[in-house]
Amino acid sequence: KAGVTQTPRYLIKTRGQQVTLSCSPISGHRSVSWYQQTPGQGLQFLFEYFSETQRNKGNFPGRFSGRQFSNSRSEMNVSTLELGDSALYLCASRAQGADTEAFFGQGTRLTVV
Amino acid sequence: EDKVVQSPLSLVVHEGDTVTLNCSYEVTNFRSLLWYKQEKKAPTFLFMLTSSGIEKKSGRLSSILDKKELFSILNITATQTGDSAVYLCAVCGSNYKLTFGKGTLLTVNP
């Protein structure tokens, strides 16, 4: 059973550019959540998609957006990049149901210069 | 807003020591509490605790949930250098949202 796949693994962008990250969940999982991780801040919740609908949203500016496709793959977009957006972006997939664990991908390391 | 607080933020011990990591939470419509271990990039799942399962044990690791006092602890006995990692606590609340704490960085020295 394939795990959660995130692409690309590493990315270097310039301030002001935009970036799109991709996450393919475990087959059969319909929930995909995105997190930003920076040193000392833990995993900060960005948003969650379930069956192509945004089910939850964190407290990030509108420059951060996402979507989910019918095959449950999800993309996250960040526009007008800032230096502070440099972070590890993790996505997690879950099966349907409340009491299920989330499985994480290896993350995308974004560096904004 | 859901909140998860972990303590201590970091901990250094010697091999063979026993450690206790703490996680307190405030969440609307509590569904479950999860513990993860993060060594390099992807956090890996350790335990899930729910109203119907407030104690879990796997080898040297164990965890309990106190729903009344709103906290959980993760115990690691006879620590090994391979236990060195960040341990993350997360709570699943309203609308199935998972909220994480900042983690505890555990360093086990030989």
Side-chain angles (χ1 to χ4, degrees):
Chain A
K1 191 175 184 181
V4 181
T5 303
Q6 288 189 247
T7 56
R9 295 287 305 277
Y10 302 91
L11 208 47
I12 299 176
K13 289 286 188 177
T14 305
R15 266 185 306 175
Q17 287 186 312
Q18 75 163 17
V19 66
T20 299
L21 312 182
S22 178
C23 174
S24 293
I26 291 171
S27 178
H29 286 193
R30 292 161 61 185
S31 163
V32 174
S33 298
W34 288 90
Y35 295 86
Q36 181 194 67
Q37 188 174 36
T38 53
Q41 291 302 312
L43 270 69
Q44 294 185 281
F45 177 76
L46 283 153
F47 29 65
E48 179 197 7
Y49 286 86
F50 181 82
S51 294
E52 301 180 67
T53 300
Q54 189 179 82
R55 182 159 72 176
N56 289 293
K57 188 176 187 308
N59 298 321
F60 277 78
R63 299 185 297 108
F64 292 81
S65 63
R67 58 178 175 168
Q68 186 178 34
F69 302 95
S70 58
N71 62 357
S72 293
R73 188 178 72 87
S74 177
E75 286 183 348
M76 187 189 90
N77 185 274
V78 188
S79 62
T80 320
L81 284 165
E82 300 176 359
L83 294 179
D85 297 332
S86 295
L88 178 66
Y89 290 88
L90 290 162
C91 87
S93 81
R94 275 192 287 178
Q96 185 175 9
D99 299 336
T100 58
E101 67 266 36
F103 295 87
F104 283 86
Q106 291 297 309
T108 294
R109 171 72 64 185
L110 172 65
T111 302
V112 182
V113 298
Chain B
E1 186 174 319
D2 298 345
K3 189 176 174 184
V4 177
V5 178
Q6 292 186 245
S7 64
L9 290 181
S10 65
L11 191 55
V12 180
V13 300
H14 292 289
E15 263 192 321
D17 288 350
T18 293
V19 298
T20 298
L21 310 183
N22 304 292
C23 175
S24 63
Y25 62 90
E26 296 172 24
V27 64
T28 306
N29 294 334
F30 173 88
R31 296 180 186 276
S32 60
L33 184 143
L34 301 90
W35 284 97
Y36 285 82
K37 177 182 181 183
Q38 185 177 27
E39 292 178 87
K40 297 265 174 87
K41 292 234 177 122
T44 54
F45 172 75
L46 294 174
F47 296 120
M48 178 186 292
L49 302 156
T50 66
S51 300
S52 58
I54 60 172
E55 273 192 67
K56 290 288 174 73
K57 182 174 169 63
S58 176
R60 297 179 294 103
L61 277 66
S62 63
S63 182
I64 63 169
L65 171 69
D66 186 324
K67 275 200 69 181
K68 184 179 176 186
E69 300 298 330
L70 307 183
F71 77 87
S72 172
I73 62 171
L74 176 68
N75 274 322
I76 308 175
T77 59
T79 51
Q80 302 170 357
T81 55
D83 295 327
S84 295
V86 174
Y87 290 84
L88 296 163
C89 172
V91 175
C92 182
S94 282
N95 221 19
Y96 310 103
K97 177 183 170 185
L98 263 186
T99 301
F100 282 81
K102 293 188 177 182
T104 293
L105 173 61
L106 173 65
T107 303
V108 182
N109 290 325

